[in-house]
Amino acid sequence: MTDARQPLSPPARRRPEAPLAPAAETAAKAPTASRLLKEQGILTEAENHFAQFGFEGASLENIAAAIGISRHNLLYYFPNKEALYQRVLDDVLTQWLEGMEDLSHSDDPQQALRRYIRAKLRYSRERPNGAKVFTKEVIAGAPRYGKAIAARVGPLLKAEVRTFERWAREGRIARVNFTHLMFIIWSVTQAYAEQEAQFALLLGKPALTERDYGKAEELICRMVIKALEPDTVPESPPQAPL
């Protein structure tokens, strides 16, 4: 007697699920608040060390020790000193460029320049070490950050110059070399970060006060705005009657 039962078909094979792509995993995991806080602490201390010792003189060991972690732990957040240095300069430049963007979008020359100079002096007062790190890099010829400066500052500087050119065409300011005008504003405002100790010493103070910065702001604004006053066209003398 023949068995009428048919042999069972082999079970269908399940298709393996595709593994989650690394990029998707990274996108799904946003930095935690504790990680961001730790990174900020490292960046603040690194800024202090780079301002005092420069890139060559600063060490990851000393930066880590200053905030109570090991060098190995610091490398978990920043893979090497170069990456940490680049990040410090990125943060410094980002804060600086915010004021440049505001200047380019303004329609009132005097108010725009006053706000810009005030912001630059406030930056020098509140974050002097950031200005010092940037200055040390530039004085050395910008060997590690030159490309970033050209790529990020260059376009905004050109936009500022176009704004000044427009104001000059409208007769609202005098026509001067606007690129060098910006260089001068940068130099004189950053001096209050780079040479704050000397200025305070010569004033007989342990440090510059808010009033000192206010006086500097008033004078710098006066000089810049005075230099940009439109040239007045003298009236033609009355002609004698024929």
Side-chain angles (χ1 to χ4, degrees):
M1 183 175 178
T2 306
D3 189 351
R5 291 177 300 173
Q6 299 295 327
L8 296 175
S9 301
R13 295 181 180 178
R14 293 183 60 189
R15 297 175 62 185
E17 295 182 1
L20 187 63
E25 287 182 345
T26 304
K29 295 180 180 179
T32 63
S34 60
R35 179 186 177 92
L36 293 175
L37 185 63
K38 178 67 73 174
E39 284 185 359
Q40 189 54 54
I42 294 171
L43 288 169
T44 299
E45 195 58 45
E47 186 173 302
N48 297 338
H49 280 247
F50 288 133
Q52 184 174 358
F53 305 108
F55 177 81
E56 300 295 343
S59 71
L60 295 181
E61 289 81 0
N62 290 340
I63 294 171
I67 56 177
I69 64 175
S70 67
R71 181 180 185 276
H72 180 75
N73 196 349
L74 186 152
L75 291 174
Y76 173 76
Y77 296 93
F78 299 95
N80 50 54
K81 186 166 74 169
E82 182 83 24
L84 180 56
Y85 183 70
Q86 292 277 342
R87 176 65 183 277
V88 168
L89 285 171
D90 283 344
D91 286 359
V92 169
L93 190 56
T94 295
Q95 184 177 12
W96 180 30
L97 294 182
E98 288 174 357
M100 292 179 71
E101 292 177 347
D102 292 342
L103 181 60
S104 299
H105 297 153
S106 178
D107 283 327
D108 187 318
Q110 287 199 21
Q111 288 187 10
L113 285 164
R114 288 184 183 279
R115 284 197 303 266
Y116 184 66
I117 292 168
R118 184 180 303 118
K120 288 285 288 146
L121 282 171
R122 184 176 65 249
Y123 172 84
S124 292
R125 184 184 183 192
E126 296 176 354
R127 198 175 179 182
N129 283 334
K132 290 174 184 176
V133 176
F134 194 87
T135 299
K136 283 180 182 291
E137 171 68 13
V138 171
I139 289 175
R144 296 177 177 83
Y145 206 65
K147 290 182 179 178
I149 293 174
R152 299 184 62 189
V153 180
L156 281 178
L157 176 59
K158 290 179 181 177
E160 285 181 341
V161 171
R162 287 195 297 269
T163 299
F164 283 121
E165 292 284 358
R166 173 171 58 83
W167 288 338
R169 287 194 304 271
E170 295 169 352
R172 302 165 77 180
I173 61 173
R175 188 176 296 280
V176 300
N177 188 309
F178 297 121
T179 300
H180 283 280
L181 172 68
M182 293 308 302
F183 292 167
I184 290 169
I185 293 175
W186 297 347
S187 300
V188 72
T189 52
Q190 284 178 225
Y192 280 82
E194 300 158 11
Q195 302 185 51
E196 192 268 350
Q198 178 184 207
F199 294 169
L201 179 66
L202 294 173
L203 289 172
K205 301 178 178 181
L208 295 181
T209 65
E210 183 175 354
R211 185 179 180 185
D212 293 322
Y213 280 90
K215 289 181 178 179
E217 177 190 330
E218 180 182 354
L219 180 57
I220 296 168
C221 288
R222 182 177 179 181
M223 290 190 299
V224 171
I225 291 171
K226 186 71 175 176
L228 291 175
E229 284 184 355
D231 297 327
T232 56
V233 180
E235 295 183 2
S236 301
Q239 294 184 355
L242 297 175

